[in-house]
Amino acid sequence: MECCLVTRSPIAGPDGNPTTQDLTLEISLARDGKRSRQAIGALPASEWSNSSTAHTGTGHTNEPIDPTYKQHALPTWSKLGSGESDEFATFAQGRSAWEDSAELQESVEDDLRLFAERSDHTEGFLLTSSLSSGFSGLTTSFVEHVRDEFPKAILWATGMLENSRSWTRSDSERSKAQRMLNEALGLVALEDFATMVLPIQPVTPWQLPADLKEGELRILPGQDWRRYVRDDVDAATAYETLRTMHLQSAGTELREADALSSITEQLNWRGNNKVASLVGMNPIAPREYWSKDDADAVRELKRAEKDWSAYQEEEAGTALSVDQQRLHRRDRDDEVPYAQYNVVRGLDFAESQEMGPLLEKSALPLRDPLARWVSLPDPYPLHSTRTATIFRGLHPSTGHPLALPSAPGLPLVSSTAQPANAALFGLSDPRYPSALSFTAQQPRSIPILTTLSTTPRARVWFRHLSRGIGELRRVRAGVLGEYEVALGGREGLDECRERLEALWDEYGGGAADEDELEAQAARDEDENWDATQQQDDWDM
């Protein structure tokens, strides 16, 4: 878990505008042997944290070298999924790790007090933590403590998930249930104490077509966002690299002076939509390769964007059950968000002026100031020592995408055997080399689009967690016992589920799926415990 206090710097920038700096506190597992920074581990220090020095240890480190970075370690736990007997696996274990350690609480209090003394003007907190492990409970306890110390501070909580869509066959059913319950309890607690919650989906490697030949690129329906990713690199690495770019781009914008308050006010103008969404495209394709018709271009834009949130669409070709089809029926491309904030990086003025109207039209009928966009001249920097070499089809100097086939399923054979001047005659636009060239040479930066929004689609995640608790109840899963004991009885999980159902209703799901609610109620009333009591396998 990492919590970064963003504070106004007394030193203005070169342009005379106010700047900010980070004061970072981290709580990690000592046995990891490294800083558990989750998806921000590869971010350039200059843009996520002012601290570039890693500190490790087996106990509480109260006097690190860098006064802007404080680290605390939990030496008696192993990470969830390690197979050890002391796995940091449940919400209750996270709570007890905080509540039972007076030393940890006191040292964290000292650090927060020191941060407060160093901060003349607090912008707010950016917190990143795993919601699927024991850090779910520890994080919510920590957030409650921050709220006591900074009752009016803005707190963005980014929850990194390992939800049921990423579980592997090697995971036990008990581990799957633990992760789902951790997410549910963590979400409900953060929804109470955090200003905004940004749930991020796990690293879910995609499968390439079995008949894909070496040097061949095939664009499948719904997978436009993958068209510039090389197929000869580890899929999980590529996925996490792309996701990290958007976290950093959003984090950079949120660190601007007064941005945390203004963006939060915009996204949660309704007052009851704290759960945000992260969507984006990296890199941005040049406008000349899109449809000249704005309506078609908006559809292309939506299709090329990737949703990195916990409630992403199912992958193309995934079989859905009848219940899942009913739940996803309303999750259409044209569903209107409550509010939207777009960050465009790396386009010149003319390109940004063409992109801006498309972003506004993609949010219709949403109106300003609830749909805003900002264009930053600096593109996303690709540091060779920090960013994996994952791209193909990008110009090595500009980072702009090269021309690729637009028809879904159309194969494109590698042109490495073509003469050097083939780009001048083989493509419609002579400014760009061959689309499959430069697979090894990466550009130094690329233009990207990152979108923060609040959207009704968050209800998919709420319903997923609520149904999971209901199914565990139905089969009387043994894993419930440890949670009920820690929460003081069955009522704790029942209250969590009621909160999830209330969130489902607030985000527009209550009246839309009455047949689904009736079916769930019928399942909840199932009293055939003899047939289900020993059942270990349950369907999410």
Side-chain angles (χ1 to χ4, degrees), residues 46-73:
S46 61
E47 297 205 33
W48 185 267
S49 172
N50 283 342
S51 171
S52 58
T53 304
H55 304 281
T56 60
T58 58
H60 305 305
T61 305
N62 294 322
E63 297 296 334
I65 298 174
D66 189 343
T68 68
Y69 175 80
K70 299 287 187 176
Q71 184 186 32
H72 306 270

Side-chain angles (χ1 to χ4, degrees), residues 487-507:
L487 296 172
R490 177 172 179 170
E491 292 77 12
L493 282 178
D494 288 342
E495 290 177 3
C496 175
R497 190 181 179 198
E498 290 173 1
R499 284 289 308 281
L500 291 169
E501 291 291 349
L503 287 172
W504 160 268
D505 186 68
E506 289 175 3
Y507 281 70

Side-chain angles (χ1 to χ4, degrees), residues 13 59 62 131 155 160 277 313 315-316 344 350 360 377 390-391 432 454:
N62 294 322
L131 282 186
L155 195 155
M160 314 300 295
S277 171
E313 295 286 356
E315 292 292 338
V344 181
E360 294 174 354
I390 66 169
F391 289 108
Y432 298 102
T454 45

Side-chain angles (χ1 to χ4, degrees), residues 438-468:
F438 309 110
T439 57
Q441 182 181 358
Q442 297 287 278
R444 289 174 293 183
S445 60
I446 62 171
I448 71 172
L449 164 67
T450 301
T451 300
L452 292 168
S453 64
T454 45
T455 166
R457 292 186 58 247
R459 65 177 180 267
V460 174
W461 187 34
F462 307 148
R463 194 58 173 158
H464 163 75
L465 298 176
S466 174
R467 293 184 65 206

Side-chain angles (χ1 to χ4, degrees), residues 61-97:
T61 305
N62 294 322
E63 297 296 334
I65 298 174
D66 189 343
T68 68
Y69 175 80
K70 299 287 187 176
Q71 184 186 32
H72 306 270
L74 304 175
T76 60
W77 298 100
S78 299
K79 64 180 181 180
L80 175 59
S82 64
E84 302 293 332
S85 59
D86 57 353
E87 290 179 335
F88 199 47
T90 68
F91 182 90
Q93 288 171 334
R95 285 276 191 178
S96 64

Side-chain angles (χ1 to χ4, degrees), residues 85-340:
S85 59
D86 57 353
E87 290 179 335
F88 199 47
T90 68
F91 182 90
Q93 288 171 334
R95 285 276 191 178
S96 64
W98 174 269
E99 296 171 355
D100 297 343
S101 177
E103 181 184 1
L104 175 62
Q105 293 185 46
E106 290 174 3
S107 57
V108 167
E109 287 176 1
D110 291 342
D111 291 343
L112 290 177
R113 192 174 299 113
L114 175 63
F115 286 173
E117 293 174 355
R118 293 172 58 90
S119 176
D120 294 330
H121 182 103
T122 298
E123 295 284 330
F125 292 88
L126 294 175
L127 183 144
T128 302
S129 180
S130 167
L131 282 186
S132 301
S133 67
F135 277 103
S136 173
L138 187 145
T139 299
T140 55
S141 296
F142 172 80
V143 168
E144 292 178 23
H145 185 78
V146 171
R147 270 286 166 251
D148 291 338
E149 296 292 326
F150 302 87
K152 297 182 179 180
I154 296 172
L155 195 155
W156 272 67
T158 301
M160 314 300 295
L161 306 183
E162 298 176 58
N163 61 25
S164 61
R165 293 170 185 170
S166 70
W167 295 335
T168 64
R169 294 182 181 273
S170 62
D171 289 329
S172 67
E173 294 299 325
R174 185 180 188 84
S175 295
K176 296 178 182 180
Q178 287 174 333
R179 289 171 176 169
M180 189 278 298
L181 291 170
N182 293 337
E183 290 178 18
L185 292 166
L187 166 66
V188 168
L190 287 179
E191 213 273 337
D192 278 338
F193 294 102
T195 311
M196 296 293 295
V197 183
L198 183 64
I200 300 298
Q201 67 179 260
V203 175
T204 51
W206 57 84
Q207 297 296 323
L208 294 173
D211 60 343
L212 191 67
K213 300 178 182 179
E214 182 178 359
E216 180 184 2
L217 175 66
R218 182 170 299 168
I219 304 169
L220 304 177
Q223 297 179 328
D224 288 27
W225 64 278
R226 300 173 182 168
R227 61 168 56 193
Y228 301 109
V229 175
R230 293 171 54 178
D231 54 17
D232 60 341
V233 298
D234 177 68
T237 299
Y239 185 102
E240 187 166 10
T241 301
L242 294 176
R243 185 185 67 180
T244 297
M245 289 181 183
H246 291 297
L247 285 172
Q248 178 176 351
S249 184
T252 301
E253 180 64 11
L254 288 171
R255 279 167 167 75
E256 291 294 323
D258 299 321
L260 263 175
S261 57
S262 62
I263 294 177
T264 298
E265 183 179 355
Q266 177 198 346
L267 294 182
N268 193 23
W269 63 274
R270 291 162 54 100
N272 59 348
N273 297 122
K274 290 185 177 182
V275 182
S277 171
L278 180 70
V279 176
M281 173 170 37
N282 44 355
I284 303 175
R287 182 65 169 88
E288 57 261 34
Y289 293 127
W290 294 10
S291 172
K292 300 303 180 183
D293 180 82
D294 279 357
D296 290 338
V298 168
R299 283 190 288 269
E300 292 180 28
L301 172 65
K302 290 183 177 181
R303 186 173 62 249
E305 288 181 317
K306 171 65 178 175
D307 190 346
W308 304 98
S309 307
Y311 31 93
Q312 79 276 26
E313 295 286 356
E314 297 288 342
E315 292 292 338
T318 301
L320 301 180
S321 66
V322 174
D323 287 343
Q324 287 174 320
Q325 292 177 26
R326 185 181 297 113
L327 290 174
H328 286 267
R329 189 173 300 149
R330 298 180 63 221
D331 299 322
R332 304 181 304 270
D333 290 340
D334 60 349
E335 192 166 60
V336 179
Y338 299 127
Q340 182 170 291

